Amino acid sequence: MWAVLKVNNNGLITLKNEIFSKIGKETIFYNPKIKINKFIKSKTYTMDSYLLGDYILCYNKNFKNRHFLTAIKYCKGLKYLLTNFLNCQKDIENFIKKCKENEDDQGYIKQNFFEFESKKNYEFISGPFNNLILNIIDQNKIFVKGFIGKYKISVSKKGNFFRPV
């Protein structure tokens, strides 16, 4: 069973170690990440960012048993355990499958993971247009066409990440 955990800032390693000690080494953690290029003062910095923010997916076959859930509920590094994850197992598994299909050889999620809808607004989270809003009018496998303000642009999907606004 997959559980969804919200982790404290910088508490991921502590949380993993505590869960391993309480319920065993057969626990699996999954936290998809993306590589973001930030432009600051004409320099490019490459940063890792987690797709789910401060949430992490945790698998253990014994999570059906309330005893195991109670054991991890008070672990160091855990803000809280999301409830009702038992009802969403199929959705969680489909999400993980989609993430794994769209990972590159280094384990980072590729841009083609994200689906775009025309006539919607998206914010750049990497690339030279970082933090600008793009109104998509057309797209293909390689490029996205749209407007930033009154300027029409065509941007490669490869080096730029977007999120819906």
Side-chain angles (χ1 to χ4, degrees):
M1 299 231 89
W2 286 98
V4 182
L5 311 173
K6 186 163 185 170
V7 181
N8 285 331
N9 296 342
N10 302 324
L12 183 59
I13 295 170
T14 306
L15 176 65
K16 284 182 178 182
N17 291 334
E18 189 136 343
I19 288 176
F20 284 146
S21 68
K22 286 188 177 184
I23 62 174
K25 296 281 186 189
E26 66 274 354
T27 304
I28 300 169
F29 294 95
Y30 186 67
N31 196 5
K33 58 186 175 179
I34 58 176
K35 190 176 284 192
I36 295 177
N37 294 323
K38 292 265 186 184
F39 291 92
I40 302 172
K41 295 184 180 180
S42 72
K43 290 186 180 179
T44 304
Y45 298 96
T46 302
M47 304 167 60
D48 292 349
S49 178
Y50 291 107
L51 189 63
L52 300 175
D54 53 356
Y55 291 92
I56 188 168
L57 301 171
C58 179
Y59 177 82
N60 191 305
K61 63 183 179 194
N62 297 318
F63 280 158
K64 291 179 186 176
N65 185 344
R66 293 278 180 204
H67 170 71
F68 283 89
L69 293 176
T70 305
I72 67 166
K73 196 172 186 178
Y74 301 105
C75 288
K76 291 178 186 173
L78 180 69
K79 280 187 183 176
Y80 58 86
L81 172 69
L82 283 161
T83 57
N84 277 342
F85 66 88
L86 296 172
N87 301 330
C88 302
Q89 290 300 303
K90 193 68 173 169
D91 293 332
I92 293 171
E93 289 171 5
N94 289 339
F95 173 76
I96 292 170
K97 181 181 176 189
K98 185 176 179 181
C99 286
K100 296 231 184 233
E101 289 172 354
N102 290 293
E103 284 182 353
D104 62 8
D105 55 347
Q106 296 175 339
Y108 292 99
I109 301 293
K110 296 185 274 187
Q111 179 62 41
N112 59 0
F113 171 81
F114 302 99
E115 298 172 1
F116 299 108
E117 295 179 29
S118 295
K119 310 227 190 263
K120 295 264 181 156
N121 291 330
Y122 292 86
E123 179 184 13
F124 284 94
I125 56 174
S126 72
F129 301 112
N130 191 25
N131 297 330
L132 296 176
I133 305 295
L134 174 70
N135 184 355
I136 295 179
I137 56 174
D138 191 25
Q139 65 173 321
N140 59 29
K141 290 183 180 179
I142 302 170
F143 291 101
V144 173
K145 295 178 184 177
F147 289 99
I148 294 180
K150 63 180 182 177
Y151 299 103
K152 186 175 181 181
I153 65 165
S154 179
V155 180
S156 171
K157 288 182 179 179
K158 185 176 181 182
N160 299 292
F161 285 97
F162 313 92
R163 70 174 165 215
V165 177

